[in-house]
């Protein structure tokens, strides 16, 4: 009887090992101005729910759900699209984020001329969610 409980616990732990609950931020200007990508997958067979937190404290901070992703993360590129304006590209999904008033909206047909400079990419590296800077590759 005791071995059954141990086997059940081991199977549950093994099943939950593929789950994800992670967040990472792109710091724009210090700790209070950032874009944060959150990913949550409660079960190995479920889709990965995602959200973007747009923050410029103390003025504003808001969290927006975005399109779900798969467990093998689709990298999300971040472009500086203007003054306090950021374009986010994840596969076929585009978003426009304003840190002036902490808004985020889908962007159906982005103009390549409006993208501006690529500042970095949210991605998995060695199983960990990271933000890789395009401006300073060492970070």
């Amino acid at each position: 009887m005791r071995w059954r409980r141990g086997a059940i616990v081991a199977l549950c732990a093994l099943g939950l090992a593929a789950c994800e609950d992670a967040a990472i931020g792109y710091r724009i200007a210090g700790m209070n101005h950032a874009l944060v990508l959150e990913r949550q997958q409660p079960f190995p067979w479920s889709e990965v729910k995602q959200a973007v937190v747009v923050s410029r404290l103390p003025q504003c901070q808001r969290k927006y759900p975005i399109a779900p992703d798969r467990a093998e993360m689709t990298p999300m590129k971040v472009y500086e699209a203007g003054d306090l304006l950021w374009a986010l590209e994840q596969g076929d999904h585009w978003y426009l984020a304003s840190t002036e008033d902490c808004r985020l909206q889908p962007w159906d047909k982005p103009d390549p001329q409006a993208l501006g400079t690529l500042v970095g990419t949210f991605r998995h590296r060695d199983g960990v969610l990271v933000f890789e800077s395009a401006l300073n590759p060492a970070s």
Side-chain angles (χ1 to χ4, degrees):
M1 194 65 140
R2 197 173 212 189
W3 67 270
R4 287 184 187 165
R5 278 191 227 148
I8 291 171
V9 169
L11 284 174
C12 288
L14 188 62
L16 293 176
C19 299
E20 180 178 5
D21 190 359
I24 190 72
Y26 160 52
R27 290 185 191 171
I28 298 165
M31 299 281 295
N32 296 328
H33 191 189
L35 297 173
V36 178
L37 175 63
E38 295 181 353
R39 291 175 47 91
Q40 295 180 330
Q41 182 186 29
F43 305 104
W45 57 86
S46 63
E47 67 185 8
V48 179
K49 294 180 181 178
Q50 299 185 119
V52 172
V53 178
V54 184
S55 179
R56 190 169 61 93
L57 297 172
Q59 286 78 10
C60 59
Q61 178 171 306
R62 290 190 183 92
K63 180 178 179 177
Y64 296 90
I66 61 170
D69 196 22
R70 58 187 196 277
E72 184 181 321
M73 183 185 173
T74 305
M76 177 184 280
K77 294 180 181 178
V78 179
Y79 299 88
E80 187 172 3
D83 189 31
L84 302 177
L85 199 57
W86 311 92
L88 309 174
E89 173 195 12
Q90 187 175 40
D92 294 335
H93 300 282
W94 285 85
Y95 306 93
L96 200 55
S98 167
T99 55
E100 180 176 5
D101 52 3
C102 294
R103 293 183 188 230
L104 183 114
Q105 66 186 39
W107 195 8
D108 291 333
K109 296 182 181 180
D111 176 3
Q113 301 298 321
L115 290 181
T117 305
L118 175 68
V119 295
T121 305
F122 291 106
R123 70 174 72 243
H124 273 145
R125 186 188 325 135
D126 300 325
V128 177
L129 189 58
V130 298
F131 181 79
E132 292 180 346
S133 174
L135 305 175
N136 181 6
S139 61

